[in-house]
Amino acid sequence: MRRIELFDSTLRDGEQAPGFSMNLTEKLSMARVLAELGVDVIEAGFAACSQGDFASVKAVADELKGVTVASLCRCTEKDAEIAWNALKNAEKPLLHIFIATSDLHLETKLGMTREQVVERVAATVSYAKTLCPDIEFSAEDATRSDRNFLAKVLQTALSNGASVVNMADTVGIAQPDEIEDLVRFMKSELKSANPWKLSVHCHNDLGLATANTLAAIKAGADRVDVTVNGIGERAGNAAVEEVVMALKMRPEIYDADTGANPKMLVPASRKLVMLTGCKVQANKAVVGKNAFAHEAGIHQHGMMKDRRTYEIFHPEDVGATSERIILGKHSGRHALEDRISELGIGGLDKEQLDTVFEKFKLLAETKKTVGDRDIEAIVRSEVLGVPEIYRLDKYVINSGNILSNTCNIRICRKGETYLDGFAAGEGPIDAAYNAINDALKKDAKLLDYVIESVTGGADAQGAVSVKLSVGDKTVKGYGVSVNIFEASILAYLNALNALEE
Ligand code: MN
């Protein structure tokens, strides 16, 4: 069986999509889970893009062993140098250099001729090779490029020291047959004195990212770009869970496998949802809430006779542990720690674990049983934990349909000063948010508010995610409580704390 390498771009292409931005701590904890999942390369960001990106690429490169860590960089010596500075402590660093090859991009975006592009690739790749032993070169918009020119550019990269050349279907326009044909063409056309690999980067604008990726594998691609939950620019990239399971399910077609541990697919998916607050659609392949749900009577009947009737693989194969209510107020710290690592949401230090355990005990006092989703919610509020500048002290909300909605609130600042606020609002939560603004003399505006119950049942916790803007800054916050007003207040304060960081 051929071994297909997974190049994971969750922290780069995925992270740059709206709603998916992560801070350094979040990126690091996601990177640890990606390493556990068993991807071959973690693209940790685009170092030259911002100081924040540089810092997170460096943090991932410094810490993670046994996995290749990459930074994207434009095709310039300056970018390559910055990316290298972020990567140089990595055990296995990879510089990922890209430039567009379609005439459309050359004319409208780059203002370069084909000759200039070839020269630039030769110069940048050969310079980058003096810095970093491993270079991947990507042709952006490859699928809308003249294939002979594309071959010339990729050959130039190979001849100047790249060990991997990648073709990006940047706008998700390609069809599986075309990708298959293109990969075969390049496999026969390109030559190198050293071992080299061909890879593809497929987008999902027509819902074909996974199909195109599999077509490329069939045609001989050695490495493929993927992201957890298929996140990425616009409609996203090929989803790692789909590619991994398709190869597992149909060896007679692909005769290929990845190094991923399928049991980590659902935990990795959950971890990403936990960090970004962006849920996966219920009917999403492999990791969706309904991926293993059988509702129709006829299906349930079949399932009871033999699971194979309606299930090609089982939830436990991909790490979808069913909700197990095992923890309550008598559960110890070890049981909790074990469950956290089983859920794949670990990566916490001792201090964070202490806090999680404390919050778990408090919750177990109110709720008889604490389920997996409850634990995830607590861990999430811990991982997203930012220094608590503002802490809720107390509040009163008046609400009804015969009086105006008002809130009195007292917030403690840095454990020292108490700030009082009072305001009315359209509803109780609006009143509370206005009261917080009044107390803190802030002009925060609510951009997005999502509330969901963490588990079912009347004693479910409410989890609130908010996004606020203050001046030109946007921050997100998260709060959990059995009282939804309090969860809302905690989420708002969590966002304001993130702003102070
Ligand atoms: Mn992309």
Side-chain angles (χ1 to χ4, degrees), residues 88-300:
K88 59 184 168 196
N89 296 334
E91 190 177 87
K92 296 196 255 178
L94 173 72
L95 276 182
H96 180 204
I97 301 169
F98 80 99
I99 195 165
T101 49
S102 67
D103 288 335
L104 177 66
H105 278 235
L106 262 60
E107 282 158 25
T108 57
K109 193 180 79 176
L110 298 173
M112 290 170 78
T113 64
R114 289 184 175 190
E115 290 69 33
Q116 286 170 325
V117 168
V118 172
E119 279 166 31
R120 174 77 73 77
V121 170
T124 311
V125 172
S126 56
Y127 172 72
K129 187 73 180 174
T130 64
L131 305 173
C132 182
D134 202 5
I135 310 285
E136 174 161 338
F137 172 81
S138 281
E140 188 188 11
D141 208 18
T143 49
R144 289 193 297 177
S145 304
D146 172 78
R147 72 160 60 176
N148 292 312
F149 173 62
L150 176 62
K152 188 172 175 187
V153 174
L154 297 181
Q155 185 58 60
T156 304
L158 280 177
S159 305
N160 285 280
S163 40
V164 185
V165 283
N166 176 280
M167 299 187 287
D169 184 26
T170 305
V171 293
I173 186 81
Q175 303 294 302
D177 288 354
E178 292 174 309
I179 290 277
E180 205 176 323
D181 189 54
L182 186 62
V183 169
R184 287 194 206 286
F185 174 77
M186 290 303 166
K187 273 273 169 178
S188 68
E189 200 72 10
L190 305 178
K191 304 276 175 283
S192 176
N194 302 309
W196 65 283
K197 294 178 190 124
L198 185 61
S199 86
V200 291
H201 176 96
C202 299
H203 272 275
N204 207 32
D205 297 74
L206 295 173
L208 292 171
T210 299
N212 285 338
T213 302
L214 294 170
I217 291 172
K218 215 167 128 193
D222 311 280
R223 174 182 282 186
V224 292
D225 291 10
V226 288
T227 60
V228 173
N229 297 342
I231 69 169
E233 292 277 8
R234 307 182 311 280
N237 292 81
V240 65
E241 58 275 10
E242 296 173 9
V243 173
V244 167
M245 290 315 289
L247 297 183
K248 283 265 182 253
M249 297 312 297
R250 306 305 302 272
E252 76 283 15
I253 292 179
Y254 300 106
D255 191 30
D257 200 5
T258 66
N261 171 7
K263 287 191 167 26
M264 278 301 295
L265 291 169
V266 169
S269 165
R270 283 200 186 136
K271 176 87 183 185
L272 183 64
V273 171
M274 190 177 91
L275 292 173
T276 59
C278 294
K279 296 185 89 171
V280 175
Q281 78 203 57
N283 59 322
K284 170 79 181 60
V286 187
V287 298
K289 186 161 110 312
N290 291 356
F292 302 98
H294 304 277
E295 177 125 353
I298 221 166
H299 286 213
Q300 290 179 342

Side-chain angles (χ1 to χ4, degrees), residues 100 117 311 334 339 383 462 482 486:
V117 168
E311 240 173 47
H334 275 294
R339 197 70 198 121
V383 173
V482 285
E486 192 163 318

